[in-house]
Amino acid sequence: MRPRLAIPALLALLVVAFLASLAFGELRLSFGQVVAALGGGGDDIARTVVRDFRLPRALVGMAAGAALAASGVVMQAFFRNPLASPGLLGVSSGGALGAVAVLALGPMLGFASATLWALPAASVLGAFLATGAVLMLAQRGAGTERLLLSGVALNALLGAGTSFLLTTTAGHFEVNAQILFWLMGGLESRSWEHVWMGVPAILAGCLLLLPLGRAMDLLSLGEQSAQSLGVDVRRLRRQLIALSTVLTALATAVGGVIGFVGLVVPHILRLAFGPAHRRLLPYSMLGGAAFLLACDLITRLFPLGLRLGVVTALVGGPFFLWLLRRPR
C-alpha cells in the first residue's frame, strides 16, 4: 500500500474498532445507538453503558496500544535490533513489579486509598530501574544475543520478585485475585479515573516522540554517520529511552501486563509501508491503538475467560517465531 494512503486506512480501521468496542458486550448496541449516546441522546441505559463504562475502557485501550507500539518502534531504533521490544528487554516486567508492589503492600501499609495514583508512579520507577539494569548488563557490545539474554535473565529475576509479592498476599484473597488478573492484562472496570491517570501523559509522550522520527532515521545509519549529519546521539538516546520507558510504564499501569504489541504492530507496518521512522511512528501509534481494541473485543465476544494479555500473546508468539525463522 502507498504510504500516503496509510493514515486514512489506519484512521478508518481505528474508528471501526472504536465504534465496535462501544457497541459490543453483554448488552449489544447498534452503531446508531452508540453515536446517539456519544452525543448525549438516546435512551438512558445505552447512554450510561456507553459513556460511563465502555468509553473509558476504549480510551484506555487506545492509549495503551499506541504507547506500547510506539515504545516498540523506539526500542528497535535505539538498539538497532528488530527483535527488541519493551517486553523482551524487561521494561514491562519492571513496571509490573513496581505496580504489583503497590497492589500487594499498599493495603498493608495503610495507603490503599492512594493506590490508584501510586500505581503509575511505582510502575514508571520499576520500568526505569529495569531499563538501567538491561543497559548495564549489555553495555559491552549490545548485540542481539547479549540483549536477549540480558532481557531473559532480568525477566526471570523480576518475575521471581513478583511471585514473592504474591506469596505475601496469600491470605488476602481479594488483593491476590486483583494482582493475578492485572498480571494477565485487561481493560475491565476501567473508569474515568484511569483515563485521567494515564491517557494525557501517554498522549504527551507520543507527541514528544513524533519530532524525533527524522533523527531516528539517521541513527539507523549508525552513530558516527548520524553524528556527522548533526545529530546529538547521546542526547537522542537519552530522550528515546526515557520516553519509551515512561510510555511502557504508563501503559502497564493502566492496562496490566500486555505483551507483543510493541513487536507485532511495528513489524507489520514496517513490512507494509517501509522502515522510515518519520512515518512508522505515527502509523504504529494508530495501528497499536486499533490492534489493542480489536484484541479487547475478542475477549468480550468469546466468553472463554480470555484475558487481554493472553490474546495478544496468542497473536504475538507465533509472529515472533516467524520472525526468528526469517533469513534476514
Side-chain angles (χ1 to χ4, degrees), residues 109-137:
L109 299 178
F111 60 90
S113 61
T115 296
L116 182 66
W117 294 98
L119 216 76
S123 185
V124 169
L125 177 61
F128 267 106
L129 291 176
T131 303
V134 168
L135 294 177
M136 182 181 66
L137 290 170

Side-chain angles (χ1 to χ4, degrees), residues 6-19:
I7 293 292
L10 290 169
L11 277 174
L13 185 64
L14 180 58
V15 169
V16 171
F18 176 71
L19 292 177

Side-chain angles (χ1 to χ4, degrees), residues 72-81 216 219-220 240 277:
V73 174
V74 170
M75 283 289 183
Q76 290 158 20
F78 182 89
F79 292 108
R80 298 175 63 195
N81 177 357
M216 291 167 66
L219 184 63
S220 65
L240 292 178
H277 293 92

Side-chain angles (χ1 to χ4, degrees), residues 144-307:
T144 300
E145 296 83 1
R146 183 178 290 271
L147 284 170
L148 291 179
L149 289 174
S150 299
V152 168
L154 193 63
N155 274 315
L157 182 62
L158 295 171
T162 301
S163 299
F164 171 75
L165 289 174
L166 273 171
T167 62
T168 65
T169 63
H172 303 269
F173 297 108
E174 185 178 346
V175 175
N176 209 324
Q178 185 180 6
I179 292 174
L180 285 173
F181 275 99
W182 187 86
L183 284 173
M184 290 186 284
L187 301 176
E188 296 84 354
S189 304
R190 299 300 90 179
S191 65
W192 284 105
E193 286 183 310
H194 293 92
V195 173
W196 302 127
M197 180 176 70
V199 173
I202 288 174
L203 179 61
C206 289
L207 291 176
L208 288 173
L209 267 182
L210 289 175
L212 302 179
R214 180 179 179 276
M216 291 167 66
D217 286 334
L218 297 178
L219 184 63
S220 65
L221 302 175
E223 291 189 13
Q224 293 183 348
S225 299
Q227 200 139 9
S228 67
L229 293 171
V231 177
D232 186 341
V233 174
R234 182 173 296 181
R235 180 185 178 188
L236 174 64
R237 290 172 78 90
R238 284 199 300 264
Q239 290 175 324
L240 292 178
I241 201 66
L243 289 171
S244 174
T245 301
V246 169
L247 287 174
T248 301
L250 289 171
T252 302
V254 297
V257 180
I258 304 170
F260 290 103
V261 178
L263 181 68
V264 172
V265 174
H267 269 286
I268 292 175
L269 295 175
R270 187 181 286 112
L271 291 172
F273 302 112
H277 293 92
R278 287 170 291 179
R279 295 194 294 263
L280 189 60
L281 268 173
Y283 295 173
S284 294
M285 291 173 190
L286 293 173
F291 175 75
L292 204 63
L293 285 183
C295 290
D296 181 52
L297 193 60
I298 291 174
T299 66
R300 285 188 277 172
L301 292 178
F302 298 95
L304 301 175
L306 287 175
R307 300 289 297 172

Side-chain angles (χ1 to χ4, degrees), residues 35-79:
V35 173
L38 289 174
D43 61 88
D44 293 339
I45 295 178
R47 189 165 59 249
T48 300
V49 168
V50 170
R51 302 184 71 170
D52 294 343
F53 297 100
R54 294 182 184 173
L55 183 56
R57 178 173 182 165
L59 292 175
V60 169
M62 290 168 61
L68 292 172
S71 183
V73 174
V74 170
M75 283 289 183
Q76 290 158 20
F78 182 89
F79 292 108

